[in-house]
Amino acid sequence: MLAGVSCKKILSNTPTDFVTQVNYFNSESEVNIALAGVYDPLQRNEMYGKALHMDLTMCDEGFYRLSSLNTGPLVYNYDATDITILQYWTALYDGINRANIFLENVDRATMDATNKNVAKGEVLFLRAYYYFLLVRDFGAVPLKLSSTKSVGEVNIARTPIKDVYAQILQDMTTAEGMVRTWTSWGYPGHVTKTAIEAILARVCLTMASKPLQDVSKYQDALNWAKKVVDSKEHSLNPDYKQIFINIAQDKYDVQYKESMWEVEFFGNRVGTSFDETGGVGRYLGPTCTDIPTGYCYGNIHVTSKIINMYANNDVNDVRRDWNIAPYKYTGSVKTLFAATNVYDRTGAKFYREYETLLPRDQFSTPQNWPVIRYAEVLLIYAEAENELNGPTAIAHQYLNMVRARAKTFQYTGAKLITDKSIFRQAVMDERARELAFEGARKYDLIRTGTLVAEMKAMSAIVRLAPSTAYPQAVRPGDLASDRNLLLPIPSRELSLNSAMTQNPGW
């Protein structure tokens, strides 16, 4: 009798231990929580917490991994079962699914119409950005514009690259007219109008290059970069180092606004269970085993190739000894490297010793990741202008602005560049110097079709180095091949999705 009376209650399929879509998205506070959930994958170790500033990007011809690392993306020795690649793929599609859920439900919320529109714009952009990362790293991928409703929704074919990019452009362009400005927010944690324009310039530059090679997109890249410049909302911080000192100290550059969009990290894991810390500064920085000073593995050592990209350009370039640590810490004691200790120097840029949030944690940091800076917008403008019109005065102007901040010589007078191909290489070299250790170089080499050749050249240079050089420095160049232009589709995806195919060479 008791069973008969209670069975209706026991078998009720209405969940009571979590919130579902049907009874959520009612208020502005719920919308803001859901919005934070769409941003959340960016902070994971699978993305900017680690993988996108370390495992998946620090594998170009200027840098190599410390220690006897034999496998993984950093040394081009991996396959479709690699866990880092699977987790990256999963995080991206999780972000896309969260965005789709948000867009399908947000209109039910009772809230200020302007705020709702802004939130929708941010999410529309984030979905497109997740797809940009997917198509850039994996090529053709399944394009899902609605949320997953059933576990049976698994057999989805790959959408051609050009169609994925078309959706990215559509969504980002729509979002650009919906979101607020950097100044309105007062900080770069939210995507803003000019940040979207800057990313659109990057997307269009990528589309104009390999593998798509839609050269009509050079004009679009220039147009979007020009919008950012014409907004006059951003400028170069006159002190290159200060950009990253601000990041270490949790300061927003409200004066210059050079850092246009940042992935936010927070805290030091002390006195709270809330953990939004990341790994920025844990791997890239001066080697340090002292926790109070700022523990850093110093995983990425450099080769003479990247050192010479600065020295052969101008020994006075202030970026070299910031981006490439001139010292290490033995305990808490700073030890300068001798000029001959090239291979002992580490990729730096994110220095934990400047962190003001104390005590410092050994394994995580509060430092944000700068997704895009105004300096890159100027270099995109210069590159696109050169491709369209040759090395014009305006192309030189924007290239020289970045170089002037670095305290290096200007391309003027006798140094004016008149050849289009020489100017193209000058911009590529400037990007390598300016954006070192910001996850850009590998993708520049891929889009210019030079990744494998440059990796092989790097290995050849390392073999000529003194015997003190780390022998594993040659491994990435020795193992890199054309198949590394794209990541493999994860084996797990292939086993679940019968409509999926693998990338060439995998």
Side-chain angles (χ1 to χ4, degrees):
M1 286 177 62
L2 287 172
V5 170
S6 4
C7 71
K8 184 174 181 183
K9 173 80 170 173
I10 292 170
L11 298 178
S12 169
N13 61 4
T14 302
T16 59
D17 59 343
F18 63 91
V19 179
T20 63
Q21 295 174 43
V22 240
N23 55 19
Y24 204 66
F25 292 93
N26 297 308
S27 65
E28 186 159 350
S29 64
E30 290 183 349
V31 166
N32 287 335
I33 290 170
L35 174 61
V38 183
Y39 275 96
D40 175 71
L42 296 167
Q43 300 168 315
R44 298 179 192 171
N45 281 341
E46 294 85 353
M47 292 186 65
Y48 290 106
K50 184 173 184 282
L52 285 179
H53 75 257
M54 187 57 187
D55 298 327
L56 296 177
T57 59
M58 293 298 123
C59 41
D60 55 60
E61 97 291 5
F63 328 121
Y64 70 92
R65 175 74 181 244
L66 174 64
S67 81
S68 54
L69 184 74
N70 295 311
T71 60
L74 277 169
V75 291
Y76 293 106
N77 188 19
Y78 56 93
D79 59 24
T81 65
D82 185 87
I83 188 63
T84 300
I85 294 170
L86 170 61
Q87 290 174 340
Y88 177 47
W89 172 279
T90 303
L92 288 168
Y93 272 109
D94 185 26
I96 289 165
N97 197 53
R98 291 181 180 203
N100 286 335
I101 290 171
F102 185 100
L103 294 170
E104 289 164 2
N105 290 279
V106 67
D107 283 334
R108 295 207 318 267
T110 302
M111 62 181 290
D112 178 83
T114 299
N115 292 344
K116 181 188 289 187
N117 193 57
V118 169
K120 287 170 68 174
E122 290 182 50
V123 170
L124 198 59
F125 167 81
L126 288 169
R127 183 179 71 177
Y129 187 70
Y130 291 139
Y131 270 120
F132 172 58
L133 297 180
L134 275 166
V135 75
R136 185 176 67 171
D137 273 318
F138 295 96
V141 292
L143 184 64
K144 271 186 108 275
L145 302 179
S146 59
S147 64
T148 301
K149 308 293 193 304
S150 162
V151 292
E153 296 178 38
V154 291
N155 298 320
I156 308 171
R158 304 174 75 165
T159 301
I161 292 175
K162 64 180 180 62
D163 295 334
V164 178
Y165 270 117
Q167 187 67 47
I168 291 167
L169 292 181
Q170 178 182 315
D171 285 353
M172 286 190 179
T173 303
T174 302
E176 184 259 353
M178 300 170 71
V179 299
R180 293 191 173 96
T181 64
W182 198 111
T183 303
S184 297
W185 282 114
Y187 65 100
H190 282 268
V191 290
T192 61
K193 183 178 177 65
T194 47
I196 292 177
E197 291 163 358
I199 295 294
L200 272 163
R202 181 191 283 175
V203 169
C204 290
L205 192 68
T206 304
M207 294 176 70
S209 311
K210 294 178 183 292
L212 198 59
Q213 290 187 291
D214 180 357
V215 294
S216 70
K217 291 297 181 286
Y218 280 122
Q219 184 64 58
D220 293 333
L222 187 147
N223 291 344
W224 287 116
K226 187 174 186 300
K227 277 199 163 196
V228 177
V229 173
D230 289 349
S231 75
K232 301 189 184 306
E233 193 168 14
H234 304 275
S235 59
L236 296 177
N237 189 313
D239 185 347
Y240 183 76
K241 299 176 184 179
Q242 193 61 46
I243 302 166
F244 307 100
I245 293 173
N246 286 341
I247 286 173
Q249 296 179 344
D250 285 333
K251 292 179 180 176
Y252 299 119
D253 185 357
V254 296
Q255 181 176 1
Y256 302 104
K257 308 180 186 70
E258 176 168 350
S259 188
M260 301 180 67
W261 178 33
E262 297 177 6
V263 175
E264 297 265 9
F265 295 100
F266 170 81
N268 57 357
R269 298 208 224 186
V270 175
T272 177
S273 58
F274 178 74
D275 179 17
E276 285 293 344
T277 56
V280 180
R282 178 185 173 187
Y283 308 101
L284 291 170
T287 305
C288 179
T289 56
D290 184 63
I291 297 173
T293 301
Y295 192 95
C296 179
Y297 288 104
N299 287 85
I300 301 297
H301 281 227
V302 303
T303 68
S304 57
K305 194 171 192 298
I306 185 67
I307 292 274
N308 291 336
M309 288 187 75
Y310 292 98
N312 294 344
N313 169 65
D314 190 339
V315 292
N316 297 314
D317 192 324
V318 300
R319 298 169 297 190
R320 185 189 70 175
D321 288 342
W322 180 263
N323 293 338
I324 303 170
Y327 56 82
K328 66 177 180 178
Y329 282 97
T330 305
S332 60
V333 178
K334 183 184 292 187
T335 306
L336 292 172
F337 291 120
T340 54
N341 293 131
V342 171
Y343 285 78
D344 291 331
R345 295 179 65 172
T346 57
K349 194 159 239 174
F350 302 97
Y351 288 72
R352 297 205 61 194
E353 62 206 76
Y354 290 97
E355 290 174 12
T356 52
L357 181 62
L358 302 177
R360 297 184 176 99
D361 182 69
Q362 178 174 355
F363 299 115
S364 59
T365 81
Q367 296 195 41
N368 290 358
W369 179 259
V371 180
I372 194 160
R373 296 190 286 113
Y374 186 61
E376 183 178 352
V377 174
L378 295 176
L379 293 174
I380 290 173
Y381 201 135
E383 181 178 348
E385 172 69 14
N386 179 61
E387 295 300 332
L388 292 166
N389 305 307
T392 62
I394 198 164
H396 277 82
Q397 176 187 344
Y398 292 133
L399 177 59
N400 281 332
M401 284 173 65
V402 175
R403 292 177 61 79
R405 196 256 302 274
K407 305 293 190 289
T408 187
F409 69 83
Q410 303 286 280
Y411 289 116
T412 57
K415 293 185 180 293
L416 197 71
I417 301 173
T418 57
D419 182 85
K420 184 176 183 177
S421 61
I422 293 174
F423 191 90
R424 180 187 297 130
Q425 188 59 52
V427 173
M428 286 300 106
D429 291 344
E430 203 61 45
R431 286 178 61 90
R433 289 186 285 263
E434 175 68 25
L435 304 174
F437 307 110
E438 292 182 59
R441 180 64 171 167
K442 170 191 168 185
Y443 297 107
D444 280 347
L445 295 175
I446 289 174
R447 70 182 179 85
T448 55
T450 57
L451 176 72
V452 177
E454 290 288 354
M455 294 299 297
K456 302 299 182 191
M458 183 270 289
S459 288
I461 290 171
V462 172
R463 285 194 166 88
L464 298 175
S467 58
T468 54
Y470 295 92
Q472 63 269 23
V474 302
R475 191 173 293 120
D478 287 349
L479 296 178
S481 67
D482 284 342
R483 76 174 187 167
N484 299 117
L485 301 179
L486 290 174
L487 295 175
I489 303 298
S491 295
R492 184 174 183 275
E493 178 67 20
L494 291 168
S495 68
L496 294 173
N497 182 356
S498 62
M500 178 61 71
T501 58
Q502 185 55 278
N503 279 327
W506 297 102

